[in-house]
């Protein structure tokens, strides 16, 4: 079966900004419901659950053997920073964004439902923006919730008094807010990359593997090349920077004043090209 759908933007050449905004919210609501009912969302939920289970098991073991382990909340912050970057940021959020954003258009094509979107009187760049915004909202809420729970799980072994002092009077609250911000920016940055990859590549797994390879090599790259990876800017926002030691090439992390605009700019550029790509897409189910 082959279905070639004309660009629906002619039906909405001159809508007011308010009409575009209502259309954007309509696409977001529709997409957001898919994440709770679609079969592809199960993998994302499992990725968000993994660090919660791991940190929960760690907290349980610490409560049993706290005296023997001799840990403190200061050392917990350093341990959490390493776990956050290696597990939540580089693994769970990365692959969660692969699942969600690559399938924003590719999944509709596989389900043979994309033509329904393109037959509506909604500009295609608005459709792309609505899908992207829904994906960012969903992944930010899901992985942000996992980040918040894992942050709170470092406190039970130390009692309520020590936990309250560290969280309110110490760095606990500010660090938690920083980790939540990094989580949202990671979903924004990786999401924009994989949105465009899913629209351009016939086999989107290949660009996903290329991005994974490049992000994994980040610590071994010279400074100019390191600045072309998403993880470089995210790592600079983690409250406790990683000590590279003898691993990798020492490079100053990106300061927040550059990291945050850099990630926002990346998302804007990727979304712009995704909108342009949506305008020329043709729905052809014969190849699926």
């Amino acid at each position: 079966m082959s279905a070639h759908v004309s660009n629906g933007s002619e039906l909405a050449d001159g809508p007011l900004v308010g009409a575009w905004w209502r259309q954007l919210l309509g696409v977001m609501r529709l997409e957001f419901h898919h994440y709770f009912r679609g079969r592809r969302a199960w993998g994302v939920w499992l990725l968000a659950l993994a660090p919660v289970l791991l940190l929960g098991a760690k907290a349980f073991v610490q409560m049993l053997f706290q005296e023997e382990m001799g840990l403190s909340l200061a050392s917990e912050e350093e341990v959490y920073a390493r776990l956050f970057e290696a597990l939540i940021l580089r693994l769970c959020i990365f692959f969660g964004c692969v699942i969600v954003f690559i399938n924003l258009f590719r999944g509709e094509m596989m389900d043979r439902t994309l033509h329904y979107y393109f037959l509506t009187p909604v500009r295609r760049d608005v459709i792309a923006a609505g899908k992207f915004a829904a994906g960012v909202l969903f992944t930010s809420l899901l992985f942000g919730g996992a980040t918040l729970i894992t942050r709170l799980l470092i406190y039970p072994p130390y009692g309520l008094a020590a936990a309250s002092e560290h969280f309110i009077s110490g760095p606990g609250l500010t660090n938690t807010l920083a980790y939540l911000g990094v989580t949202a920016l990671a979903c924004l940055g990786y999401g924009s990359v994989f949105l465009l990859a899913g629209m351009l590549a016939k086999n989107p797994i290949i660009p996903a593997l290329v991005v994974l390879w490049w992000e994994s090599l980040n610590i071994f790259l010279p400074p100019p090349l390191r600045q072309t990876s998403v993880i470089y800017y995210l790592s600079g926002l983690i409250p406790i920077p990683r000590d590279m030691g003898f691993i990798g090439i020492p490079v100053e992390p990106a300061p927040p004043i550059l990291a945050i605009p850099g990630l926002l700019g990346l998302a804007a550029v990727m979304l712009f090209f995704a909108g342009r790509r949506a305008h020329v897409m043709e729905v052809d189910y014969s190849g699926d």
Side-chain angles (χ1 to χ4, degrees), residues 19-36:
W20 286 0
W21 180 248
R22 289 192 296 272
Q23 292 172 350
L24 179 71
L25 292 179
V27 174
M28 287 181 61
R29 284 194 296 268
L30 183 60
E31 289 294 312
F32 203 75
H33 290 156
H34 289 169
Y35 298 131
F36 292 93

Side-chain angles (χ1 to χ4, degrees), residues 60-216:
F60 179 74
V61 171
Q62 285 183 250
M63 293 175 69
L64 294 178
F65 305 101
Q66 183 178 12
E67 294 184 2
E68 290 84 347
M69 298 179 72
L71 297 176
S72 64
L73 281 171
S75 61
E76 285 287 357
E77 287 286 2
E78 296 183 5
V79 171
Y80 184 86
R82 305 291 80 77
L83 285 173
F84 176 82
E85 182 175 354
L87 178 62
I88 299 179
L89 200 56
R90 290 179 176 266
L91 182 63
C92 297
I93 295 180
F94 181 90
F95 285 104
C97 288
V98 169
I99 295 172
V100 170
F101 291 93
I102 275 185
N103 284 308
L104 287 180
F105 281 86
R106 181 68 179 172
E108 297 273 3
M109 187 76 75
M110 293 175 63
D111 292 339
R112 304 189 176 214
T113 57
L114 184 59
H115 64 285
Y116 293 121
Y117 265 120
F118 286 177
L119 288 171
T120 60
V122 180
R123 289 178 59 94
R124 292 193 181 184
D125 51 358
V126 175
I127 294 174
K131 281 176 165 288
F132 175 68
V136 172
L137 179 61
F138 171 72
T139 52
S140 297
L141 289 175
L142 186 61
F143 290 108
T147 299
L148 178 60
I149 294 173
T150 54
R151 282 290 300 170
L152 297 178
L153 283 172
I154 71 176
Y155 293 112
Y158 300 95
L160 182 60
S164 299
E165 181 179 358
H166 180 271
F167 190 79
I168 299 174
S169 302
L173 178 58
T174 55
N175 285 354
T176 299
L177 294 175
Y179 285 116
L180 291 174
V182 174
T183 298
L185 287 171
C187 295
L188 185 76
Y190 284 128
S192 65
V193 172
F194 293 128
L195 166 67
L196 187 59
M199 298 176 72
L200 293 177
K202 291 185 177 180
N203 184 359
I205 299 302
I206 295 177
L209 291 176
V210 171
V211 175
L212 175 63
W213 172 75
W214 189 253
E215 296 288 288
S216 301

Side-chain angles (χ1 to χ4, degrees), residues 10-22:
E10 295 88 349
L11 300 175
D13 274 335
L16 299 174
V17 173
W20 286 0
W21 180 248
R22 289 192 296 272

